[in-house]
Amino acid sequence: MASPVRRVAIIGAGAAGLTTAEALRDLGFVGTIVLIGGERHVPYDRPPLSKQILAGRWEPQQSYLRTHESYDELGIELRLSTTAVAIDSTLRCVMLSDGDSINYDALVIATGSRARVLADMPDDDRVHHFRTVDDAVALRLQLQGQPRTLILGAGVLGLELAATIRELGSQVHVIDPLPSPMLRQFGPTIGDPLVQLHAEHGVDLTLGVDVQQVVHGRDGAIQINLIDGTSRTGELLVVAVGSKPNIEWLAGSGLPTADGVLTDGDGRVQDNVFAVGDVAARFDMDAQRHVRSESRTAAGEHGWAAAAAIMNLPAPPPPSRYFWTDQYSTKIQGVGRFTSDTNLDVVDGDLHSGRFVATCSLNGRLRGVVGWNLPRPFAKWRAKLTSETPSSPKTVTTV
Amino acid sequence: MKVTADHDACIGSGQCVPLAPDVFDQDDDGIVILKRTELEESDVTGVKAAVRICPARALTIQEGPK
């Protein structure tokens, strides 16, 4: 039996790290909690960055998840502008960027991910990546003159940015080598209505064409040359081509990493080490491999699960696999799994009417539900999906 | 112990419902409905989890008088 945990170090102060700290207190943990954050801001929420903050409706402080003072009240020792540079899991010690080191009985790795950077981009302060609240403010400033904006990547982030920037009055071109938008999240299921939605708002989408190079064109504009011989020109470029987990600091730690920190189905890396949020690659029983889930929902679920595990309490229900995106006034909700081999059935509304619910099934089994501006019917189908899904991998009988 | 919901912050994710189905429901827009605000002992763990797991952080627990 492990000795009691008196000191928890949480490395990374995003939603997942903070939720772990809060959940520990909710569950009655009375020991020390140290929360290490690399940015100068107190923990903040990321979903508003591409929407309320970029649009200028919110100031950065409105994305803060708690007030500065409330950390003292909760007994969380918050250290900002500090990163972890190495750990010694034998000595149970984390070395910090300010030269200090902290000991732990339990360690939670919550270092998140960063924007993936493409090679061979022009060296130009009008080329943006989008990850932090400071990134959002920097982009917002440059959008003031309504520059023609190029967005590389038609994933969730790329399309949310396209919607917000279009509503600010800029011309927007979105370019992605994949043939359908938000393919990673939904498979090809809702590609057509997404293309329709953005076309109706005047966004120019170029899908299924690879980029040859990004250069400075005439008048110093940024020019994207595509392999089909055409080009797109703008005064601003946002690269939104996915993320990379922040795991480099764990080199030499002996902890298992690949595309993320590898954990079991409950977020445990080793006896007293856990990983939560974007950086965690959890073992997925259904897919039979480790999978990172970069959703705001997963951040909270992982945090609660890690706190319960540290406290030796029963594991919460498995992650819901719920996510959402808001684009213009359209709310798209998804839950479950969407792969290219599933059948899509519209079960409510119409695919091109601006309101529908569709289900994905494989071999007659319900696998995923997507809702488009129909929250209540979506909720009913979601409940059906939950009731038909085994509640926990542990309850699956092996033969 | 009481639970309150910020209906303006709620984004209708429905994450709270399965965690405490006796306390939470959703209206036609997906926005949270509180079926009761004074919590029974059996509600507390599920509601605490819902407060933390809510991606809009729209739920709050208030400790009642001791």
PDB file of all heavy atoms in Angstrom, chain A residues 19 22 26 65 296-297 300-301 304 320 322 324 331 333 375-376 379 382, chain B residues 11-15 19 25-30 45 48-49 52-53 55 57:
ATOM      1  N   THR A  19      -8.401  22.087 -12.775  1.00  0.00           N
ATOM      2  CA  THR A  19      -9.499  21.222 -12.331  1.00  0.00           C
ATOM      3  C   THR A  19      -8.991  20.130 -11.400  1.00  0.00           C
ATOM      4  O   THR A  19      -9.658  19.776 -10.420  1.00  0.00           O
ATOM      5  CB  THR A  19     -10.226  20.595 -13.539  1.00  0.00           C
ATOM      6  OG1 THR A  19     -10.689  21.636 -14.383  1.00  0.00           O
ATOM      7  CG2 THR A  19     -11.412  19.752 -13.090  1.00  0.00           C
ATOM      8  N   GLU A  22      -8.627  21.788  -7.994  1.00  0.00           N
ATOM      9  CA  GLU A  22      -9.930  22.062  -7.386  1.00  0.00           C
ATOM     10  C   GLU A  22     -10.605  20.770  -6.934  1.00  0.00           C
ATOM     11  O   GLU A  22     -11.189  20.699  -5.841  1.00  0.00           O
ATOM     12  CB  GLU A  22     -10.831  22.769  -8.394  1.00  0.00           C
ATOM     13  CG  GLU A  22     -10.368  24.166  -8.763  1.00  0.00           C
ATOM     14  CD  GLU A  22     -11.196  24.756  -9.890  1.00  0.00           C
ATOM     15  OE1 GLU A  22     -11.655  23.999 -10.770  1.00  0.00           O
ATOM     16  OE2 GLU A  22     -11.379  25.976  -9.894  1.00  0.00           O
ATOM     17  N   ASP A  26     -12.214  19.459  -3.453  1.00  0.00           N
ATOM     18  CA  ASP A  26     -13.608  18.983  -3.377  1.00  0.00           C
ATOM     19  C   ASP A  26     -13.675  17.619  -2.701  1.00  0.00           C
ATOM     20  O   ASP A  26     -14.616  17.312  -1.973  1.00  0.00           O
ATOM     21  CB  ASP A  26     -14.207  18.815  -4.780  1.00  0.00           C
ATOM     22  CG  ASP A  26     -14.484  20.137  -5.478  1.00  0.00           C
ATOM     23  OD1 ASP A  26     -14.617  21.158  -4.791  1.00  0.00           O
ATOM     24  OD2 ASP A  26     -14.567  20.122  -6.724  1.00  0.00           O
ATOM     25  N   LEU A  65     -10.204  31.610 -15.171  1.00  0.00           N
ATOM     26  CA  LEU A  65     -11.096  30.608 -14.577  1.00  0.00           C
ATOM     27  C   LEU A  65     -11.389  30.873 -13.100  1.00  0.00           C
ATOM     28  O   LEU A  65     -12.406  30.428 -12.581  1.00  0.00           O
ATOM     29  CB  LEU A  65     -10.475  29.199 -14.756  1.00  0.00           C
ATOM     30  CG  LEU A  65     -10.446  28.724 -16.216  1.00  0.00           C
ATOM     31  CD1 LEU A  65      -9.496  27.546 -16.379  1.00  0.00           C
ATOM     32  CD2 LEU A  65     -11.840  28.337 -16.689  1.00  0.00           C
ATOM     33  N   ARG A 296     -11.955  20.734 -24.435  1.00  0.00           N
ATOM     34  CA  ARG A 296     -12.164  21.392 -23.153  1.00  0.00           C
ATOM     35  C   ARG A 296     -12.874  20.435 -22.185  1.00  0.00           C
ATOM     36  O   ARG A 296     -12.596  20.439 -20.989  1.00  0.00           O
ATOM     37  CB  ARG A 296     -12.984  22.665 -23.375  1.00  0.00           C
ATOM     38  CG  ARG A 296     -13.380  23.408 -22.121  1.00  0.00           C
ATOM     39  CD  ARG A 296     -12.155  23.874 -21.344  1.00  0.00           C
ATOM     40  NE  ARG A 296     -12.541  24.546 -20.107  1.00  0.00           N
ATOM     41  CZ  ARG A 296     -12.831  23.923 -18.978  1.00  0.00           C
ATOM     42  NH1 ARG A 296     -12.786  22.611 -18.905  1.00  0.00           N
ATOM     43  NH2 ARG A 296     -13.159  24.603 -17.905  1.00  0.00           N
ATOM     44  N   THR A 297     -13.782  19.656 -22.738  1.00  0.00           N
ATOM     45  CA  THR A 297     -14.527  18.711 -21.915  1.00  0.00           C
ATOM     46  C   THR A 297     -13.591  17.687 -21.280  1.00  0.00           C
ATOM     47  O   THR A 297     -13.679  17.410 -20.088  1.00  0.00           O
ATOM     48  CB  THR A 297     -15.560  17.982 -22.787  1.00  0.00           C
ATOM     49  OG1 THR A 297     -16.205  18.923 -23.616  1.00  0.00           O
ATOM     50  CG2 THR A 297     -16.570  17.270 -21.934  1.00  0.00           C
ATOM     51  N   GLY A 300     -11.558  18.832 -18.103  1.00  0.00           N
ATOM     52  CA  GLY A 300     -12.261  18.739 -16.828  1.00  0.00           C
ATOM     53  C   GLY A 300     -12.416  17.303 -16.364  1.00  0.00           C
ATOM     54  O   GLY A 300     -12.195  16.986 -15.190  1.00  0.00           O
ATOM     55  N   GLU A 301     -12.769  16.427 -17.283  1.00  0.00           N
ATOM     56  CA  GLU A 301     -12.975  15.018 -16.918  1.00  0.00           C
ATOM     57  C   GLU A 301     -11.669  14.379 -16.448  1.00  0.00           C
ATOM     58  O   GLU A 301     -11.651  13.636 -15.468  1.00  0.00           O
ATOM     59  CB  GLU A 301     -13.560  14.261 -18.118  1.00  0.00           C
ATOM     60  CG  GLU A 301     -14.990  14.678 -18.432  1.00  0.00           C
ATOM     61  CD  GLU A 301     -15.504  14.132 -19.762  1.00  0.00           C
ATOM     62  OE1 GLU A 301     -14.686  13.817 -20.656  1.00  0.00           O
ATOM     63  OE2 GLU A 301     -16.725  14.031 -19.907  1.00  0.00           O
ATOM     64  N   TRP A 304     -10.761  15.645 -12.866  1.00  0.00           N
ATOM     65  CA  TRP A 304     -11.551  15.001 -11.814  1.00  0.00           C
ATOM     66  C   TRP A 304     -11.063  13.562 -11.592  1.00  0.00           C
ATOM     67  O   TRP A 304     -10.890  13.112 -10.460  1.00  0.00           O
ATOM     68  CB  TRP A 304     -13.041  15.029 -12.167  1.00  0.00           C
ATOM     69  CG  TRP A 304     -13.900  14.557 -11.033  1.00  0.00           C
ATOM     70  CD1 TRP A 304     -14.313  13.266 -10.815  1.00  0.00           C
ATOM     71  CD2 TRP A 304     -14.392  15.327  -9.925  1.00  0.00           C
ATOM     72  NE1 TRP A 304     -15.039  13.210  -9.644  1.00  0.00           N
ATOM     73  CE2 TRP A 304     -15.112  14.450  -9.085  1.00  0.00           C
ATOM     74  CE3 TRP A 304     -14.293  16.681  -9.577  1.00  0.00           C
ATOM     75  CZ2 TRP A 304     -15.728  14.883  -7.909  1.00  0.00           C
ATOM     76  CZ3 TRP A 304     -14.924  17.102  -8.401  1.00  0.00           C
ATOM     77  CH2 TRP A 304     -15.623  16.210  -7.586  1.00  0.00           C
ATOM     78  N   SER A 320     -16.731  11.418 -21.602  1.00  0.00           N
ATOM     79  CA  SER A 320     -17.964  11.445 -22.387  1.00  0.00           C
ATOM     80  C   SER A 320     -17.716  11.535 -23.886  1.00  0.00           C
ATOM     81  O   SER A 320     -18.594  11.280 -24.677  1.00  0.00           O
ATOM     82  CB  SER A 320     -18.802  12.644 -21.963  1.00  0.00           C
ATOM     83  OG  SER A 320     -18.070  13.838 -22.186  1.00  0.00           O
ATOM     84  N   TYR A 322     -17.496  14.247 -25.461  1.00  0.00           N
ATOM     85  CA  TYR A 322     -18.366  15.330 -25.919  1.00  0.00           C
ATOM     86  C   TYR A 322     -17.520  16.522 -26.334  1.00  0.00           C
ATOM     87  O   TYR A 322     -16.549  16.858 -25.655  1.00  0.00           O
ATOM     88  CB  TYR A 322     -19.318  15.769 -24.804  1.00  0.00           C
ATOM     89  CG  TYR A 322     -20.092  17.028 -25.145  1.00  0.00           C
ATOM     90  CD1 TYR A 322     -21.265  16.960 -25.877  1.00  0.00           C
ATOM     91  CD2 TYR A 322     -19.621  18.284 -24.776  1.00  0.00           C
ATOM     92  CE1 TYR A 322     -21.955  18.114 -26.240  1.00  0.00           C
ATOM     93  CE2 TYR A 322     -20.301  19.446 -25.126  1.00  0.00           C
ATOM     94  CZ  TYR A 322     -21.468  19.346 -25.860  1.00  0.00           C
ATOM     95  OH  TYR A 322     -22.131  20.495 -26.206  1.00  0.00           O
ATOM     96  N   TRP A 324     -17.820  20.537 -28.679  1.00  0.00           N
ATOM     97  CA  TRP A 324     -18.710  21.459 -29.381  1.00  0.00           C
ATOM     98  C   TRP A 324     -17.879  22.526 -30.077  1.00  0.00           C
ATOM     99  O   TRP A 324     -16.716  22.730 -29.752  1.00  0.00           O
ATOM    100  CB  TRP A 324     -19.681  22.108 -28.387  1.00  0.00           C
ATOM    101  CG  TRP A 324     -19.093  23.266 -27.639  1.00  0.00           C
ATOM    102  CD1 TRP A 324     -19.229  24.586 -27.959  1.00  0.00           C
ATOM    103  CD2 TRP A 324     -18.257  23.221 -26.478  1.00  0.00           C
ATOM    104  NE1 TRP A 324     -18.529  25.362 -27.046  1.00  0.00           N
ATOM    105  CE2 TRP A 324     -17.924  24.548 -26.137  1.00  0.00           C
ATOM    106  CE3 TRP A 324     -17.743  22.190 -25.676  1.00  0.00           C
ATOM    107  CZ2 TRP A 324     -17.115  24.865 -25.041  1.00  0.00           C
ATOM    108  CZ3 TRP A 324     -16.934  22.500 -24.592  1.00  0.00           C
ATOM    109  CH2 TRP A 324     -16.627  23.824 -24.283  1.00  0.00           C
ATOM    110  N   LYS A 331     -24.372  26.326 -33.390  1.00  0.00           N
ATOM    111  CA  LYS A 331     -23.727  25.493 -32.381  1.00  0.00           C
ATOM    112  C   LYS A 331     -23.719  24.052 -32.881  1.00  0.00           C
ATOM    113  O   LYS A 331     -24.760  23.474 -33.158  1.00  0.00           O
ATOM    114  CB  LYS A 331     -24.472  25.558 -31.043  1.00  0.00           C
ATOM    115  CG  LYS A 331     -23.840  24.616 -29.999  1.00  0.00           C
ATOM    116  CD  LYS A 331     -24.542  24.661 -28.658  1.00  0.00           C
ATOM    117  CE  LYS A 331     -24.238  25.916 -27.892  1.00  0.00           C
ATOM    118  NZ  LYS A 331     -22.813  26.017 -27.507  1.00  0.00           N
ATOM    119  N   GLN A 333     -22.589  20.266 -31.949  1.00  0.00           N
ATOM    120  CA  GLN A 333     -22.228  19.425 -30.812  1.00  0.00           C
ATOM    121  C   GLN A 333     -21.931  18.019 -31.323  1.00  0.00           C
ATOM    122  O   GLN A 333     -22.611  17.533 -32.233  1.00  0.00           O
ATOM    123  CB  GLN A 333     -23.391  19.348 -29.821  1.00  0.00           C
ATOM    124  CG  GLN A 333     -23.801  20.688 -29.238  1.00  0.00           C
ATOM    125  CD  GLN A 333     -25.075  20.561 -28.422  1.00  0.00           C
ATOM    126  OE1 GLN A 333     -26.157  20.448 -28.974  1.00  0.00           O
ATOM    127  NE2 GLN A 333     -24.948  20.559 -27.112  1.00  0.00           N
ATOM    128  N   PRO A 375     -30.164  21.412 -29.770  1.00  0.00           N
ATOM    129  CA  PRO A 375     -29.606  20.867 -28.522  1.00  0.00           C
ATOM    130  C   PRO A 375     -30.474  19.810 -27.830  1.00  0.00           C
ATOM    131  O   PRO A 375     -29.957  18.827 -27.335  1.00  0.00           O
ATOM    132  CB  PRO A 375     -29.464  22.106 -27.620  1.00  0.00           C
ATOM    133  CG  PRO A 375     -29.601  23.279 -28.500  1.00  0.00           C
ATOM    134  CD  PRO A 375     -30.360  22.864 -29.720  1.00  0.00           C
ATOM    135  N   ARG A 376     -31.770  20.042 -27.801  1.00  0.00           N
ATOM    136  CA  ARG A 376     -32.611  19.116 -27.035  1.00  0.00           C
ATOM    137  C   ARG A 376     -32.688  17.725 -27.695  1.00  0.00           C
ATOM    138  O   ARG A 376     -32.436  16.724 -27.032  1.00  0.00           O
ATOM    139  CB  ARG A 376     -34.000  19.733 -26.844  1.00  0.00           C
ATOM    140  CG  ARG A 376     -34.946  18.909 -26.001  1.00  0.00           C
ATOM    141  CD  ARG A 376     -34.559  18.926 -24.536  1.00  0.00           C
ATOM    142  NE  ARG A 376     -35.137  17.780 -23.851  1.00  0.00           N
ATOM    143  CZ  ARG A 376     -34.852  17.457 -22.587  1.00  0.00           C
ATOM    144  NH1 ARG A 376     -34.003  18.173 -21.894  1.00  0.00           N
ATOM    145  NH2 ARG A 376     -35.409  16.415 -22.037  1.00  0.00           N
ATOM    146  N   ALA A 379     -29.529  16.009 -27.120  1.00  0.00           N
ATOM    147  CA  ALA A 379     -29.392  15.462 -25.771  1.00  0.00           C
ATOM    148  C   ALA A 379     -30.085  14.103 -25.653  1.00  0.00           C
ATOM    149  O   ALA A 379     -29.583  13.188 -24.998  1.00  0.00           O
ATOM    150  CB  ALA A 379     -29.962  16.448 -24.751  1.00  0.00           C
ATOM    151  N   ARG A 382     -27.961  11.620 -27.401  1.00  0.00           N
ATOM    152  CA  ARG A 382     -26.755  11.407 -26.595  1.00  0.00           C
ATOM    153  C   ARG A 382     -27.036  10.432 -25.461  1.00  0.00           C
ATOM    154  O   ARG A 382     -26.219   9.548 -25.164  1.00  0.00           O
ATOM    155  CB  ARG A 382     -26.292  12.751 -26.023  1.00  0.00           C
ATOM    156  CG  ARG A 382     -25.085  12.599 -25.145  1.00  0.00           C
ATOM    157  CD  ARG A 382     -24.718  13.901 -24.469  1.00  0.00           C
ATOM    158  NE  ARG A 382     -23.587  13.647 -23.597  1.00  0.00           N
ATOM    159  CZ  ARG A 382     -22.872  14.579 -23.013  1.00  0.00           C
ATOM    160  NH1 ARG A 382     -23.172  15.847 -23.204  1.00  0.00           N
ATOM    161  NH2 ARG A 382     -21.868  14.262 -22.230  1.00  0.00           N
TER     162      ARG A 382
ATOM    163  N   ILE B  11     -23.622  26.585 -21.763  1.00  0.00           N
ATOM    164  CA  ILE B  11     -23.550  26.413 -23.215  1.00  0.00           C
ATOM    165  C   ILE B  11     -24.326  25.193 -23.677  1.00  0.00           C
ATOM    166  O   ILE B  11     -24.246  24.786 -24.836  1.00  0.00           O
ATOM    167  CB  ILE B  11     -22.088  26.306 -23.685  1.00  0.00           C
ATOM    168  CG1 ILE B  11     -21.380  25.149 -22.975  1.00  0.00           C
ATOM    169  CG2 ILE B  11     -21.347  27.612 -23.458  1.00  0.00           C
ATOM    170  CD1 ILE B  11     -20.095  24.727 -23.645  1.00  0.00           C
ATOM    171  N   GLY B  12     -25.045  24.560 -22.747  1.00  0.00           N
ATOM    172  CA  GLY B  12     -25.902  23.437 -23.137  1.00  0.00           C
ATOM    173  C   GLY B  12     -25.154  22.169 -23.473  1.00  0.00           C
ATOM    174  O   GLY B  12     -25.611  21.376 -24.292  1.00  0.00           O
ATOM    175  N   SER B  13     -24.003  21.960 -22.839  1.00  0.00           N
ATOM    176  CA  SER B  13     -23.252  20.736 -23.147  1.00  0.00           C
ATOM    177  C   SER B  13     -23.946  19.499 -22.590  1.00  0.00           C
ATOM    178  O   SER B  13     -23.777  18.402 -23.099  1.00  0.00           O
ATOM    179  CB  SER B  13     -21.833  20.815 -22.575  1.00  0.00           C
ATOM    180  OG  SER B  13     -21.834  20.555 -21.181  1.00  0.00           O
ATOM    181  N   GLY B  14     -24.705  19.666 -21.515  1.00  0.00           N
ATOM    182  CA  GLY B  14     -25.398  18.524 -20.918  1.00  0.00           C
ATOM    183  C   GLY B  14     -24.499  17.597 -20.122  1.00  0.00           C
ATOM    184  O   GLY B  14     -24.900  16.507 -19.733  1.00  0.00           O
ATOM    185  N   GLN B  15     -23.270  18.032 -19.846  1.00  0.00           N
ATOM    186  CA  GLN B  15     -22.333  17.181 -19.090  1.00  0.00           C
ATOM    187  C   GLN B  15     -22.841  16.903 -17.675  1.00  0.00           C
ATOM    188  O   GLN B  15     -22.514  15.885 -17.078  1.00  0.00           O
ATOM    189  CB  GLN B  15     -20.971  17.890 -18.999  1.00  0.00           C
ATOM    190  CG  GLN B  15     -20.187  17.921 -20.272  1.00  0.00           C
ATOM    191  CD  GLN B  15     -19.635  16.561 -20.616  1.00  0.00           C
ATOM    192  OE1 GLN B  15     -20.234  15.823 -21.400  1.00  0.00           O
ATOM    193  NE2 GLN B  15     -18.524  16.193 -20.032  1.00  0.00           N
ATOM    194  N   LEU B  19     -24.251  13.075 -14.516  1.00  0.00           N
ATOM    195  CA  LEU B  19     -23.537  13.041 -13.231  1.00  0.00           C
ATOM    196  C   LEU B  19     -24.506  13.183 -12.056  1.00  0.00           C
ATOM    197  O   LEU B  19     -24.238  12.672 -10.971  1.00  0.00           O
ATOM    198  CB  LEU B  19     -22.482  14.151 -13.185  1.00  0.00           C
ATOM    199  CG  LEU B  19     -21.279  13.921 -14.112  1.00  0.00           C
ATOM    200  CD1 LEU B  19     -20.486  15.202 -14.294  1.00  0.00           C
ATOM    201  CD2 LEU B  19     -20.382  12.810 -13.572  1.00  0.00           C
ATOM    202  N   ASP B  25     -31.381  18.936 -15.517  1.00  0.00           N
ATOM    203  CA  ASP B  25     -32.025  18.578 -16.782  1.00  0.00           C
ATOM    204  C   ASP B  25     -31.702  19.710 -17.766  1.00  0.00           C
ATOM    205  O   ASP B  25     -31.014  20.670 -17.403  1.00  0.00           O
ATOM    206  CB  ASP B  25     -33.534  18.411 -16.581  1.00  0.00           C
ATOM    207  CG  ASP B  25     -34.184  17.639 -17.738  1.00  0.00           C
ATOM    208  OD1 ASP B  25     -33.474  17.250 -18.689  1.00  0.00           O
ATOM    209  OD2 ASP B  25     -35.405  17.421 -17.685  1.00  0.00           O
ATOM    210  N   GLN B  26     -32.192  19.578 -18.996  1.00  0.00           N
ATOM    211  CA  GLN B  26     -31.937  20.618 -20.003  1.00  0.00           C
ATOM    212  C   GLN B  26     -33.249  21.054 -20.641  1.00  0.00           C
ATOM    213  O   GLN B  26     -34.146  20.222 -20.850  1.00  0.00           O
ATOM    214  CB  GLN B  26     -31.037  20.074 -21.123  1.00  0.00           C
ATOM    215  CG  GLN B  26     -29.616  19.789 -20.702  1.00  0.00           C
ATOM    216  CD  GLN B  26     -28.856  19.070 -21.800  1.00  0.00           C
ATOM    217  OE1 GLN B  26     -28.903  17.863 -21.915  1.00  0.00           O
ATOM    218  NE2 GLN B  26     -28.133  19.833 -22.628  1.00  0.00           N
ATOM    219  N   ASP B  27     -33.351  22.350 -20.987  1.00  0.00           N
ATOM    220  CA  ASP B  27     -34.540  22.823 -21.701  1.00  0.00           C
ATOM    221  C   ASP B  27     -34.346  22.620 -23.207  1.00  0.00           C
ATOM    222  O   ASP B  27     -33.373  22.010 -23.640  1.00  0.00           O
ATOM    223  CB  ASP B  27     -34.854  24.284 -21.326  1.00  0.00           C
ATOM    224  CG  ASP B  27     -33.844  25.275 -21.901  1.00  0.00           C
ATOM    225  OD1 ASP B  27     -33.029  24.901 -22.773  1.00  0.00           O
ATOM    226  OD2 ASP B  27     -33.868  26.443 -21.456  1.00  0.00           O
ATOM    227  N   ASP B  28     -35.286  23.152 -24.005  1.00  0.00           N
ATOM    228  CA  ASP B  28     -35.239  22.893 -25.447  1.00  0.00           C
ATOM    229  C   ASP B  28     -34.008  23.484 -26.115  1.00  0.00           C
ATOM    230  O   ASP B  28     -33.606  23.052 -27.192  1.00  0.00           O
ATOM    231  CB  ASP B  28     -36.498  23.454 -26.126  1.00  0.00           C
ATOM    232  CG  ASP B  28     -37.702  22.547 -25.868  1.00  0.00           C
ATOM    233  OD1 ASP B  28     -37.503  21.397 -25.418  1.00  0.00           O
ATOM    234  OD2 ASP B  28     -38.829  22.997 -26.098  1.00  0.00           O
ATOM    235  N   ASP B  29     -33.399  24.491 -25.497  1.00  0.00           N
ATOM    236  CA  ASP B  29     -32.164  25.050 -26.039  1.00  0.00           C
ATOM    237  C   ASP B  29     -30.929  24.379 -25.431  1.00  0.00           C
ATOM    238  O   ASP B  29     -29.799  24.822 -25.674  1.00  0.00           O
ATOM    239  CB  ASP B  29     -32.101  26.561 -25.787  1.00  0.00           C
ATOM    240  CG  ASP B  29     -33.162  27.293 -26.595  1.00  0.00           C
ATOM    241  OD1 ASP B  29     -33.404  26.892 -27.748  1.00  0.00           O
ATOM    242  OD2 ASP B  29     -33.773  28.240 -26.068  1.00  0.00           O
ATOM    243  N   GLY B  30     -31.155  23.361 -24.631  1.00  0.00           N
ATOM    244  CA  GLY B  30     -30.042  22.656 -24.016  1.00  0.00           C
ATOM    245  C   GLY B  30     -29.584  23.276 -22.709  1.00  0.00           C
ATOM    246  O   GLY B  30     -28.695  22.750 -22.035  1.00  0.00           O
ATOM    247  N   THR B  45     -21.818  14.306  -4.177  1.00  0.00           N
ATOM    248  CA  THR B  45     -20.629  13.945  -4.949  1.00  0.00           C
ATOM    249  C   THR B  45     -20.836  14.194  -6.441  1.00  0.00           C
ATOM    250  O   THR B  45     -19.978  14.775  -7.119  1.00  0.00           O
ATOM    251  CB  THR B  45     -20.238  12.478  -4.705  1.00  0.00           C
ATOM    252  OG1 THR B  45     -20.094  12.292  -3.302  1.00  0.00           O
ATOM    253  CG2 THR B  45     -18.934  12.138  -5.383  1.00  0.00           C
ATOM    254  N   LYS B  48     -20.832  17.942  -7.149  1.00  0.00           N
ATOM    255  CA  LYS B  48     -19.458  18.483  -7.091  1.00  0.00           C
ATOM    256  C   LYS B  48     -18.694  18.142  -8.358  1.00  0.00           C
ATOM    257  O   LYS B  48     -17.977  18.991  -8.913  1.00  0.00           O
ATOM    258  CB  LYS B  48     -18.717  17.921  -5.867  1.00  0.00           C
ATOM    259  CG  LYS B  48     -19.069  18.621  -4.556  1.00  0.00           C
ATOM    260  CD  LYS B  48     -18.208  18.069  -3.425  1.00  0.00           C
ATOM    261  CE  LYS B  48     -18.399  18.885  -2.148  1.00  0.00           C
ATOM    262  NZ  LYS B  48     -17.638  18.303  -1.013  1.00  0.00           N
ATOM    263  N   ALA B  49     -18.842  16.917  -8.824  1.00  0.00           N
ATOM    264  CA  ALA B  49     -18.173  16.533 -10.078  1.00  0.00           C
ATOM    265  C   ALA B  49     -18.707  17.368 -11.234  1.00  0.00           C
ATOM    266  O   ALA B  49     -17.942  17.841 -12.082  1.00  0.00           O
ATOM    267  CB  ALA B  49     -18.372  15.043 -10.346  1.00  0.00           C
ATOM    268  N   ARG B  52     -17.195  20.820 -11.500  1.00  0.00           N
ATOM    269  CA  ARG B  52     -15.835  20.844 -12.064  1.00  0.00           C
ATOM    270  C   ARG B  52     -15.791  20.450 -13.523  1.00  0.00           C
ATOM    271  O   ARG B  52     -14.923  20.905 -14.274  1.00  0.00           O
ATOM    272  CB  ARG B  52     -14.920  19.916 -11.257  1.00  0.00           C
ATOM    273  CG  ARG B  52     -14.709  20.336  -9.825  1.00  0.00           C
ATOM    274  CD  ARG B  52     -14.247  21.773  -9.683  1.00  0.00           C
ATOM    275  NE  ARG B  52     -14.220  22.167  -8.285  1.00  0.00           N
ATOM    276  CZ  ARG B  52     -14.382  23.414  -7.872  1.00  0.00           C
ATOM    277  NH1 ARG B  52     -14.574  24.393  -8.729  1.00  0.00           N
ATOM    278  NH2 ARG B  52     -14.350  23.685  -6.578  1.00  0.00           N
ATOM    279  N   ILE B  53     -16.690  19.552 -13.926  1.00  0.00           N
ATOM    280  CA  ILE B  53     -16.617  19.017 -15.282  1.00  0.00           C
ATOM    281  C   ILE B  53     -17.381  19.902 -16.267  1.00  0.00           C
ATOM    282  O   ILE B  53     -17.112  19.872 -17.468  1.00  0.00           O
ATOM    283  CB  ILE B  53     -17.091  17.541 -15.259  1.00  0.00           C
ATOM    284  CG1 ILE B  53     -15.975  16.688 -14.656  1.00  0.00           C
ATOM    285  CG2 ILE B  53     -17.479  17.046 -16.641  1.00  0.00           C
ATOM    286  CD1 ILE B  53     -16.342  15.272 -14.346  1.00  0.00           C
ATOM    287  N   PRO B  55     -17.999  22.378 -18.802  1.00  0.00           N
ATOM    288  CA  PRO B  55     -16.982  23.098 -19.573  1.00  0.00           C
ATOM    289  C   PRO B  55     -17.227  24.608 -19.625  1.00  0.00           C
ATOM    290  O   PRO B  55     -16.344  25.352 -20.035  1.00  0.00           O
ATOM    291  CB  PRO B  55     -17.090  22.472 -20.970  1.00  0.00           C
ATOM    292  CG  PRO B  55     -18.469  21.914 -21.041  1.00  0.00           C
ATOM    293  CD  PRO B  55     -18.864  21.543 -19.646  1.00  0.00           C
ATOM    294  N   ARG B  57     -18.264  26.193 -16.810  1.00  0.00           N
ATOM    295  CA  ARG B  57     -18.146  26.565 -15.398  1.00  0.00           C
ATOM    296  C   ARG B  57     -19.363  27.416 -14.967  1.00  0.00           C
ATOM    297  O   ARG B  57     -19.217  28.450 -14.322  1.00  0.00           O
ATOM    298  CB  ARG B  57     -16.815  27.273 -15.132  1.00  0.00           C
ATOM    299  CG  ARG B  57     -15.676  26.306 -15.370  1.00  0.00           C
ATOM    300  CD  ARG B  57     -14.310  26.873 -15.234  1.00  0.00           C
ATOM    301  NE  ARG B  57     -13.931  27.247 -13.896  1.00  0.00           N
ATOM    302  CZ  ARG B  57     -13.173  26.525 -13.072  1.00  0.00           C
ATOM    303  NH1 ARG B  57     -12.785  25.318 -13.431  1.00  0.00           N
ATOM    304  NH2 ARG B  57     -12.824  26.981 -11.909  1.00  0.00           N
TER     305      ARG B  57
END
